[in-house]
Amino acid sequence: MFRYFVCFLAFLSMSAAEPELIHIFTPGKHPGWKFEGTHLVTKQTSTGMELCTSEFCRSHLVYPVTLSPGRSYRIRLQGTGPLDLFFRRDHADAFYDLEVRDVFRKSPIFEAVFTPDAESPAGGRFILRPAERNVPVTLERFELKPLGGEPPSLPEDRVRRLIRPPAAGRGVVFSDGMLTEDRAKAVAAGHGNLVRLRFQGSDAIGNVRKACRLARRYGVKITLEFMHGGDSLAGSSALADLFQEYRDVIWAVRPGGQVIPENLAKFRVRFPDMWIMRELSACIPAEIVYDQRTIYCCNISTREELRSLRSLLAYFRVPVLATVPSAMADAAERALVNWVIAVRPPELNKELEKLERLLAKNASAEDQEASIVRAVQRARSRDSLVFGLITDTHYRRNSPKDAKAPAWCYAAALPQARRMAGLAKKMKADFIAVTGDILDGPGDSRAAEKDLAGMMTAMASACIPVLGTRGDHDRFPADADFHRIVTLPALKAGAKGDPDRPESTYYSMDFPKRRIRVIVLDTGGSMTAEGGPDAGIHQVQYLAKTGLDFRDKPDGRSWSVLLLGHAPASCDTMLNHEALNGVLAAFLTGGKYAGTLYPADTGSVCGRVSCDFSAQGPMRILGMCHGNFHEMRRWEKVVHKGAFREYLFPCAFPEPGAAATRPREKDTPEAGSFSFVVLDPVKKTLKIFRCGAGFDESYSL
């Protein structure tokens, strides 16, 4: 592979006019290099500069440069060792225009093309730093050139294989914006229509099969995107049957989430004829030119973006599937190897109505909101409990200078809360749940009070109860202020707290028509807790004595419990989690429990808890909804075998580039995340509908 790569570069140098040279230098000898940090050891060698750091991400090598916004550039590095490469604009936030990890992992030569943001300042700097501590890296050469002129030619056999789409004709993605006569011309010219479906796991395969049948009837193609692209993608027999049955309909597959290369290789071995779709990033490694079964996807909305893409493809001719407005059709046809125009036949719209949640993630924020309202209304019944849930908003009006994310991420919580409140009011939900880390903290207590009050006021605009709990980041404001701002409004709306402790931050609310008690636990940790989450001495005693007692109700045996909290009950690092789970187990089985409770403050006295539910008999816990982990993946964990599950909800905080989440961008439908839950104790189902990041889920209780 490396031999072909070198030949390819040599061929380019002979067949195309060399563009003007911006920078070419050897690190260490060029005066423009700067070293930042105190833990970077540098040494000049006969071939270049050797770098080594004892502290991860503390020190790096920097080179300032001026680039033309919107123009594409080719970068070429030569060296050895695990090196990370970044480009950051001057006065920019935490975002990088370019971010490449382990550039020398596969080859001593790395080449890429990237395009700075057209809206960005001209100034910026390249950042290079060792990817691993105490592992030396040698940087021998760094080249930076602008791209221009005519596209370089490729060997004829490569050209035929690269630009040939996996299905005859060009694709046309369904959405709005193309006239009927234009659509007729496209169909007459042999351009096949293309529908994009996104779904999660095996739950939606039945609906995808229905969509495939509709596509076959209408003579269109489908691309399938999976939330889970790991071993399940390569090993699912249900997916294998689906691919085999609808080979004439499925145009390509697009693994979503975090796809491990080894699992992707397994998929290609099992399905050798299936084309893979990937997101087209600002930086394209040169080796993708030889990846002949990959289609690169992008969304184009402006002519500036189109010009950037054209410049990029002038250097790398790869199969590109671009969604563009119909008004830019002519320009897109001239610029792209493969292009698409969005159109949706009204006849197909009617038949896809029941499957619209599969397509909602492709839509605008307004369309997503309309879709989730319709989906919830269809799923609910007379016996179901409907509520909105948002978690880990990490709101902070004024983010600190050392924040891990840009300021807009911390401020995004307030508009999210207003959006969710508006939808909850529209669909007449029973309540809104806020499961901790409402604020980002630590911080000034007075500022935290204002931020917390602002968030709770935004959600209270739905005019339904807001059941909020504390997370480990909600250390400010103080317990009494948190009770006043969050807990007290819930108590006024009908919730019941601990009769022995009026200012407690744990409580419950009964919904008699559904015979469900929602218990809101404070598992975020107290002001004095330094070790993280804490079930709390008084909270566990409250559950044993009052919270789980239904003997005062004539139909108490038919009631169920839903738990809300920040950290799950199964969290083994939570203080007093043994006692908490002991009480819950006794409630489930109608048994007894006695145990010791430990204070968060080591200077305080231990407590005791005991309960006897034998007179009440076995009861049911419908599940526990929680946050805390900032993950997007599907999560269902059985705490007590055959008893109840814990459901992890994705964070609302749009943390970009986090390892456990997909990157989220500002002002996009997936920038945030909140959910609506339809819980039906009679049908024994729990359905979760996501707005923003994350995917719909369905469970049997």
Side-chain angles (χ1 to χ4, degrees), residues 192-215:
N193 287 333
L194 194 64
V195 184
R196 179 183 175 194
L197 297 181
R198 298 176 70 176
F199 71 96
Q200 172 168 347
S202 59
D203 288 342
I205 286 183
N207 280 343
V208 173
R209 193 177 298 275
K210 296 177 185 177
C212 287
R213 287 198 293 267
L214 290 174

mmCIF file of all heavy atoms in Angstrom, residues 192-215:
data_model
loop_
_atom_site.group_PDB
_atom_site.id
_atom_site.type_symbol
_atom_site.label_atom_id
_atom_site.label_comp_id
_atom_site.label_asym_id
_atom_site.label_seq_id
_atom_site.Cartn_x
_atom_site.Cartn_y
_atom_site.Cartn_z
ATOM 1 N N GLY A 192 -31.454 7.643 -10.222
ATOM 2 C CA GLY A 192 -32.249 6.919 -9.231
ATOM 3 C C GLY A 192 -32.462 7.738 -7.976
ATOM 4 O O GLY A 192 -31.584 8.451 -7.519
ATOM 5 N N ASN A 193 -33.643 7.685 -7.419
ATOM 6 C CA ASN A 193 -33.932 8.362 -6.159
ATOM 7 C C ASN A 193 -33.324 7.602 -4.990
ATOM 8 O O ASN A 193 -33.217 6.378 -5.012
ATOM 9 C CB ASN A 193 -35.437 8.481 -5.960
ATOM 10 C CG ASN A 193 -36.038 9.524 -6.874
ATOM 11 O OD1 ASN A 193 -35.356 10.459 -7.256
ATOM 12 N ND2 ASN A 193 -37.291 9.356 -7.231
ATOM 13 N N LEU A 194 -32.949 8.335 -3.967
ATOM 14 C CA LEU A 194 -32.231 7.745 -2.843
ATOM 15 C C LEU A 194 -32.856 8.209 -1.533
ATOM 16 O O LEU A 194 -32.957 9.403 -1.280
ATOM 17 C CB LEU A 194 -30.760 8.161 -2.893
ATOM 18 C CG LEU A 194 -29.771 7.400 -2.023
ATOM 19 C CD1 LEU A 194 -29.675 5.958 -2.459
ATOM 20 C CD2 LEU A 194 -28.396 8.057 -2.128
ATOM 21 N N VAL A 195 -33.286 7.267 -0.679
ATOM 22 C CA VAL A 195 -33.853 7.572 0.634
ATOM 23 C C VAL A 195 -32.826 7.225 1.700
ATOM 24 O O VAL A 195 -32.218 6.156 1.642
ATOM 25 C CB VAL A 195 -35.130 6.749 0.894
ATOM 26 C CG1 VAL A 195 -35.758 7.141 2.227
ATOM 27 C CG2 VAL A 195 -36.121 6.953 -0.229
ATOM 28 N N ARG A 196 -32.663 8.103 2.675
ATOM 29 C CA ARG A 196 -31.732 7.851 3.768
ATOM 30 C C ARG A 196 -32.513 7.493 5.025
ATOM 31 O O ARG A 196 -33.365 8.243 5.471
ATOM 32 C CB ARG A 196 -30.876 9.096 4.017
ATOM 33 C CG ARG A 196 -29.882 8.946 5.153
ATOM 34 C CD ARG A 196 -29.155 10.260 5.359
ATOM 35 N NE ARG A 196 -28.282 10.214 6.510
ATOM 36 C CZ ARG A 196 -27.741 11.299 7.066
ATOM 37 N NH1 ARG A 196 -27.996 12.488 6.567
ATOM 38 N NH2 ARG A 196 -26.954 11.196 8.119
ATOM 39 N N LEU A 197 -32.214 6.323 5.585
ATOM 40 C CA LEU A 197 -32.858 5.864 6.814
ATOM 41 C C LEU A 197 -31.816 5.724 7.912
ATOM 42 O O LEU A 197 -30.738 5.192 7.688
ATOM 43 C CB LEU A 197 -33.546 4.514 6.605
ATOM 44 C CG LEU A 197 -34.691 4.448 5.595
ATOM 45 C CD1 LEU A 197 -35.241 3.040 5.545
ATOM 46 C CD2 LEU A 197 -35.791 5.427 5.956
ATOM 47 N N ARG A 198 -32.156 6.182 9.108
ATOM 48 C CA ARG A 198 -31.272 6.008 10.258
ATOM 49 C C ARG A 198 -32.057 5.287 11.341
ATOM 50 O O ARG A 198 -33.180 5.653 11.653
ATOM 51 C CB ARG A 198 -30.789 7.367 10.776
ATOM 52 C CG ARG A 198 -29.985 8.142 9.763
ATOM 53 C CD ARG A 198 -29.624 9.517 10.287
ATOM 54 N NE ARG A 198 -28.640 9.439 11.354
ATOM 55 C CZ ARG A 198 -28.112 10.519 11.928
ATOM 56 N NH1 ARG A 198 -28.472 11.710 11.564
ATOM 57 N NH2 ARG A 198 -27.218 10.383 12.891
ATOM 58 N N PHE A 199 -31.463 4.261 11.925
ATOM 59 C CA PHE A 199 -32.151 3.542 12.984
ATOM 60 C C PHE A 199 -31.147 2.938 13.938
ATOM 61 O O PHE A 199 -29.950 2.912 13.680
ATOM 62 C CB PHE A 199 -33.071 2.462 12.408
ATOM 63 C CG PHE A 199 -32.354 1.279 11.808
ATOM 64 C CD1 PHE A 199 -32.143 0.130 12.539
ATOM 65 C CD2 PHE A 199 -31.911 1.313 10.495
ATOM 66 C CE1 PHE A 199 -31.487 -0.959 11.992
ATOM 67 C CE2 PHE A 199 -31.262 0.233 9.934
ATOM 68 C CZ PHE A 199 -31.046 -0.906 10.676
ATOM 69 N N GLN A 200 -31.654 2.457 15.069
ATOM 70 C CA GLN A 200 -30.795 1.941 16.129
ATOM 71 C C GLN A 200 -31.116 0.488 16.408
ATOM 72 O O GLN A 200 -32.237 0.133 16.737
ATOM 73 C CB GLN A 200 -30.990 2.752 17.401
ATOM 74 C CG GLN A 200 -30.254 2.141 18.584
ATOM 75 C CD GLN A 200 -30.210 3.076 19.765
ATOM 76 O OE1 GLN A 200 -30.509 4.229 19.629
ATOM 77 N NE2 GLN A 200 -29.827 2.566 20.908
ATOM 78 N N GLY A 201 -30.094 -0.355 16.270
ATOM 79 C CA GLY A 201 -30.179 -1.736 16.720
ATOM 80 C C GLY A 201 -31.288 -2.540 16.070
ATOM 81 O O GLY A 201 -31.835 -2.197 15.031
ATOM 82 N N SER A 202 -31.625 -3.633 16.699
ATOM 83 C CA SER A 202 -32.595 -4.565 16.137
ATOM 84 C C SER A 202 -34.030 -4.096 16.319
ATOM 85 O O SER A 202 -34.931 -4.616 15.665
ATOM 86 C CB SER A 202 -32.421 -5.945 16.789
ATOM 87 O OG SER A 202 -32.603 -5.842 18.194
ATOM 88 N N ASP A 203 -34.262 -3.113 17.207
ATOM 89 C CA ASP A 203 -35.628 -2.679 17.462
ATOM 90 C C ASP A 203 -36.327 -2.171 16.209
ATOM 91 O O ASP A 203 -37.527 -2.330 16.037
ATOM 92 C CB ASP A 203 -35.646 -1.565 18.519
ATOM 93 C CG ASP A 203 -35.336 -2.106 19.897
ATOM 94 O OD1 ASP A 203 -35.454 -3.328 20.067
ATOM 95 O OD2 ASP A 203 -34.964 -1.331 20.775
ATOM 96 N N ALA A 204 -35.558 -1.522 15.324
ATOM 97 C CA ALA A 204 -36.157 -0.856 14.169
ATOM 98 C C ALA A 204 -36.053 -1.670 12.890
ATOM 99 O O ALA A 204 -36.480 -1.196 11.848
ATOM 100 C CB ALA A 204 -35.507 0.508 13.967
ATOM 101 N N ILE A 205 -35.477 -2.861 12.936
ATOM 102 C CA ILE A 205 -35.278 -3.621 11.706
ATOM 103 C C ILE A 205 -36.610 -3.932 11.034
ATOM 104 O O ILE A 205 -36.722 -3.918 9.802
ATOM 105 C CB ILE A 205 -34.479 -4.914 11.984
ATOM 106 C CG1 ILE A 205 -33.018 -4.552 12.231
ATOM 107 C CG2 ILE A 205 -34.591 -5.894 10.832
ATOM 108 C CD1 ILE A 205 -32.117 -5.735 12.434
ATOM 109 N N GLY A 206 -37.641 -4.202 11.833
ATOM 110 C CA GLY A 206 -38.951 -4.463 11.247
ATOM 111 C C GLY A 206 -39.458 -3.275 10.453
ATOM 112 O O GLY A 206 -39.983 -3.425 9.344
ATOM 113 N N ASN A 207 -39.290 -2.058 10.997
ATOM 114 C CA ASN A 207 -39.706 -0.864 10.274
ATOM 115 C C ASN A 207 -38.843 -0.633 9.039
ATOM 116 O O ASN A 207 -39.329 -0.157 8.012
ATOM 117 C CB ASN A 207 -39.635 0.359 11.189
ATOM 118 C CG ASN A 207 -40.831 0.450 12.108
ATOM 119 O OD1 ASN A 207 -41.848 -0.194 11.884
ATOM 120 N ND2 ASN A 207 -40.709 1.238 13.159
ATOM 121 N N VAL A 208 -37.543 -0.918 9.144
ATOM 122 C CA VAL A 208 -36.668 -0.758 7.987
ATOM 123 C C VAL A 208 -37.085 -1.716 6.873
ATOM 124 O O VAL A 208 -37.074 -1.373 5.682
ATOM 125 C CB VAL A 208 -35.197 -0.990 8.378
ATOM 126 C CG1 VAL A 208 -34.309 -0.981 7.146
ATOM 127 C CG2 VAL A 208 -34.742 0.083 9.353
ATOM 128 N N ARG A 209 -37.484 -2.906 7.250
ATOM 129 C CA ARG A 209 -37.954 -3.879 6.252
ATOM 130 C C ARG A 209 -39.199 -3.344 5.532
ATOM 131 O O ARG A 209 -39.342 -3.485 4.309
ATOM 132 C CB ARG A 209 -38.247 -5.216 6.939
ATOM 133 C CG ARG A 209 -38.451 -6.386 5.986
ATOM 134 C CD ARG A 209 -38.666 -7.668 6.774
ATOM 135 N NE ARG A 209 -37.514 -8.003 7.589
ATOM 136 C CZ ARG A 209 -36.461 -8.676 7.135
ATOM 137 N NH1 ARG A 209 -36.418 -9.069 5.876
ATOM 138 N NH2 ARG A 209 -35.451 -8.954 7.942
ATOM 139 N N LYS A 210 -40.100 -2.703 6.296
ATOM 140 C CA LYS A 210 -41.274 -2.101 5.672
ATOM 141 C C LYS A 210 -40.866 -0.983 4.710
ATOM 142 O O LYS A 210 -41.414 -0.860 3.613
ATOM 143 C CB LYS A 210 -42.207 -1.545 6.751
ATOM 144 C CG LYS A 210 -42.803 -2.587 7.679
ATOM 145 C CD LYS A 210 -43.640 -1.916 8.757
ATOM 146 C CE LYS A 210 -44.158 -2.942 9.768
ATOM 147 N NZ LYS A 210 -44.912 -2.285 10.870
ATOM 148 N N ALA A 211 -39.897 -0.162 5.149
ATOM 149 C CA ALA A 211 -39.432 0.917 4.282
ATOM 150 C C ALA A 211 -38.792 0.373 3.008
ATOM 151 O O ALA A 211 -38.946 0.946 1.927
ATOM 152 C CB ALA A 211 -38.443 1.799 5.042
ATOM 153 N N CYS A 212 -38.067 -0.733 3.129
ATOM 154 C CA CYS A 212 -37.452 -1.347 1.951
ATOM 155 C C CYS A 212 -38.524 -1.838 0.977
ATOM 156 O O CYS A 212 -38.362 -1.728 -0.248
ATOM 157 C CB CYS A 212 -36.537 -2.495 2.364
ATOM 158 S SG CYS A 212 -34.990 -1.989 3.136
ATOM 159 N N ARG A 213 -39.606 -2.381 1.502
ATOM 160 C CA ARG A 213 -40.686 -2.831 0.629
ATOM 161 C C ARG A 213 -41.313 -1.651 -0.107
ATOM 162 O O ARG A 213 -41.623 -1.731 -1.302
ATOM 163 C CB ARG A 213 -41.747 -3.576 1.442
ATOM 164 C CG ARG A 213 -41.311 -4.968 1.895
ATOM 165 C CD ARG A 213 -42.511 -5.815 2.299
ATOM 166 N NE ARG A 213 -43.171 -5.307 3.499
ATOM 167 C CZ ARG A 213 -42.890 -5.711 4.736
ATOM 168 N NH1 ARG A 213 -41.944 -6.619 4.939
ATOM 169 N NH2 ARG A 213 -43.540 -5.216 5.770
ATOM 170 N N LEU A 214 -41.499 -0.518 0.603
ATOM 171 C CA LEU A 214 -42.031 0.677 -0.046
ATOM 172 C C LEU A 214 -41.071 1.195 -1.113
ATOM 173 O O LEU A 214 -41.489 1.613 -2.198
ATOM 174 C CB LEU A 214 -42.280 1.770 0.995
ATOM 175 C CG LEU A 214 -43.434 1.551 1.972
ATOM 176 C CD1 LEU A 214 -43.439 2.645 3.020
ATOM 177 C CD2 LEU A 214 -44.755 1.510 1.241
ATOM 178 N N ALA A 215 -39.772 1.162 -0.801
ATOM 179 C CA ALA A 215 -38.779 1.633 -1.768
ATOM 180 C C ALA A 215 -38.793 0.773 -3.024
ATOM 181 O O ALA A 215 -38.682 1.287 -4.148
ATOM 182 C CB ALA A 215 -37.393 1.614 -1.129
#
